[in-house]
Each structure stands twice: as structure tokens, then as C-alpha cells.
């Protein structure tokens, strides 16, 4: 009993009331049934925990493999970084992926305390000033400037081959996360036409390349895409995507507010169309 209670307290379950479940369980069929029910809960929760841990591990391994291939096949760094696409992706990796999707995930676990210290010691040997969000913003602007100068369509640029693995027969392009970051920046700059194009590309990549790294969720994309479409006056599609957000997260505060605003706009549009038909 002590060991079980200790484990439950460790996982924050000590606040539950076990009195009715365990009192006299050895003499009670109901008490034994209660133990089975508790075990079912524990099995389910630990399975979810292990599934998540496995997903995190697989995601990290994909990213490490991806970076290893990039470094292995980089012959001329000067030529490589002369392409704004390549410059953007490496800055994006440091400003976003290494920190938020690798270090934050790995170092959040207490079992990695020793690893954290060892990593800090190793990093301390190198005087490296990591790229910031401002650096990523600058790289994004360079990339968008190149797109405008060359007159390239967003769909073409988003699917341009950055790295080709002949052994695997795979081509690496901008990821869903890359397209999302660009679209998010354009939303912040109120350039909603271009933002919508990049966010749609992010959604496309996230749907078709779900097993690739870096990760970005459909919810994250929709949180910017739906408002951008609303700003462009495409209220019908904005409302549909906003409803998709609420299906994923029924308590999403911004989506709940947008739902009211979009329903009003759609109602006014229907009234306007009805009046036009009457006039005709």
C-alpha cells in the first residue's frame, strides 16, 4: 500500500479520495472491483504517457537524421548560404526547432537533469550566439524579397527542393513549420493575401507530410488562417475553419469570439443577397 500510494502521490493523484475504494477491500467484492477499476485507469494513463514519449522520441530522431543529412551533403557552405532559402531554414531551425521542439521537450523531464548539466558544460566550451527571433524575421524578409524579385508563386517556392537524398529517393522542401512561420509573420504585417497563401501551403504540408519534422499542428495553422481569411472578407471559409478550431478545442477563447462575429457577418451577407434578389 505504501508503494502504491507513493507512486500515486508522485504523479499528483494523492488528492483523490481513496477511502471508499480501499476501506475493507479485502473483505468486500466491491472493494476488489474498485481496485480493478483503479488499475484500468492507471494502465490507460501510463499507455498514453508512453505513447507520447515514443512520439517525442521518433520526432527527435527524425530531426537529428534530417540535420545529419544536410551537413553530410553540404559541399560549399558559401554557395549554400548564398541561397536565401538555405539561410532561412538554418536560422529557422535555431530560432524555432532546436529550442521549442527539441530542447524544451527533452529537458522538461527530470530524468535528464544530469544530461542537462553535461549539455550545458559542452555548450559552454563554445562561444556561440544563437539566432534570435529577430534574426529569423530578417531571414524571412530576405526570402520574401527574393520571392517578389523573382516573381515566384508561393506554391512553387514552398515546394522548391532544398535537399535531395538520392539513396532514399526523398526531396526536402520547406516544412509545414517553415511555411507556418512565414504566414504568421505576414499576418503580423497585415499582408493577409500573402499570409493566406503561405498558411495554405503549411496546411498542405502538415496534411501530406505528417510524419516529417518539424512539427506544427493543424490547430496552430488554423488559428492564423481563419482570421486572415476573415480579414480578406472570405467569411464563409473563415467560418468553416473557425468551426474546425472549435471541433478540436471547444473552449478556444479566440475562436468562440470569432464565431459570434462571423455569424453576424454571414447573416448580413445573406440579407444583402436577399435584398438584391428582391430588387431584381
Amino acid at each position: 500500500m505504501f508503494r502504491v500510494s507513493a507512486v500515486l502521490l508522485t504523479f499528483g493523484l494523492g488528492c483523490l479520495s481513496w477511502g471508499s475504494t480501499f476501506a475493507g477491500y479485502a473483505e468486500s467484492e466491491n472493494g476488489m472491483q474498485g481496485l480493478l477499476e483503479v488499475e484500468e485507469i492507471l494502465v490507460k494513463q501510463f499507455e498514453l504517457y508512453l505513447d507520447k514519449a515514443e512520439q517525442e522520441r521518433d520526432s527527435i530522431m527524425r530531426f537529428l537524421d534530417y540535420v545529419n543529412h544536410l551537413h553530410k551533403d553540404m559541399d560549399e557552405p558559401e554557395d549554400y548560404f548564398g541561397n536565401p532559402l538555405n539561410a532561412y531554414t538554418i536560422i529557422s531551425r535555431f530560432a524555432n526547432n532546436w529550442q521549442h521542439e527539441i530542447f524544451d521537450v527533452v529537458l522538461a523531464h527530470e530524468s535528464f537533469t544530469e544530461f542537462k548539466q553535461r549539455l550545458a558544460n559542452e555548450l559552454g566550451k563554445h562561444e556561440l550566439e544563437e539566432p534570435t527571433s529577430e534574426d529569423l524575421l530578417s531571414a524571412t524578409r530576405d526570402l520574401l524579397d527574393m520571392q517578389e524579385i523573382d516573381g515566384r508563386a508561393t506554391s512553387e517556392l514552398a515546394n522548391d527542393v532544398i535537399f535531395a537524398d538520392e539513396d532514399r529517393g526523398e526531396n526536402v522542401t520547406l516544412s509545414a513549420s517553415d511555411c507556418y512561420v512565414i504566414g504568421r509573420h505576414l499576418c503580423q504585417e497585415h499582408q493577409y493575401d500573402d499570409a493566406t497563401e503561405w498558411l495554405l501551403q503549411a496546411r498542405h504540408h502538415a496534411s501530406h507530410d505528417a510524419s516529417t519534422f518539424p512539427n506544427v499542428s493543424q490547430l496552430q495553422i488554423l488559428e492564423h488562417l481563419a482570421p486572415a481569411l476573415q480579414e480578406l472578407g472570405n467569411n464563409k471559409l473563415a467560418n468553416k475553419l473557425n468551426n474546425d478550431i472549435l471541433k478540436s478545442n471547444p473552449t478556444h477563447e479566440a475562436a468562440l469570439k470569432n464565431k459570434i462575429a462571423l455569424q453576424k457577418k454571414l447573416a448580413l451577407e445573406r440579407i444583402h443577397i436577399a435584398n438584391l434578389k428582391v430588387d431584381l
Side-chain angles (χ1 to χ4, degrees), residues 237-278:
L237 182 54
N239 184 61
K240 179 183 180 301
L241 298 183
N242 194 70
N243 287 334
D244 289 341
I245 294 174
L246 291 173
K247 287 179 183 178
S248 176
N249 182 4
T251 61
H252 196 285
E253 186 175 348
L256 288 171
K257 291 180 180 178
N258 287 337
K259 180 178 181 179
I260 297 174
L262 284 165
Q263 286 177 341
K264 289 181 179 178
K265 290 181 178 181
L266 289 172
L268 289 173
E269 288 179 1
R270 287 193 292 269
I271 292 172
H272 178 67
I273 293 172
N275 289 336
L276 288 176
K277 289 181 179 180
V278 171

Side-chain angles (χ1 to χ4, degrees), residues 44-61:
K44 181 178 180 180
Q45 293 304 315
F46 274 98
E47 284 177 343
L48 292 173
Y49 167 78
L50 292 174
D51 285 344
K52 181 178 180 182
E54 186 67 20
Q55 290 171 8
E56 292 174 350
R57 178 190 178 280
D58 290 344
S59 179
I60 290 171
M61 290 303 298

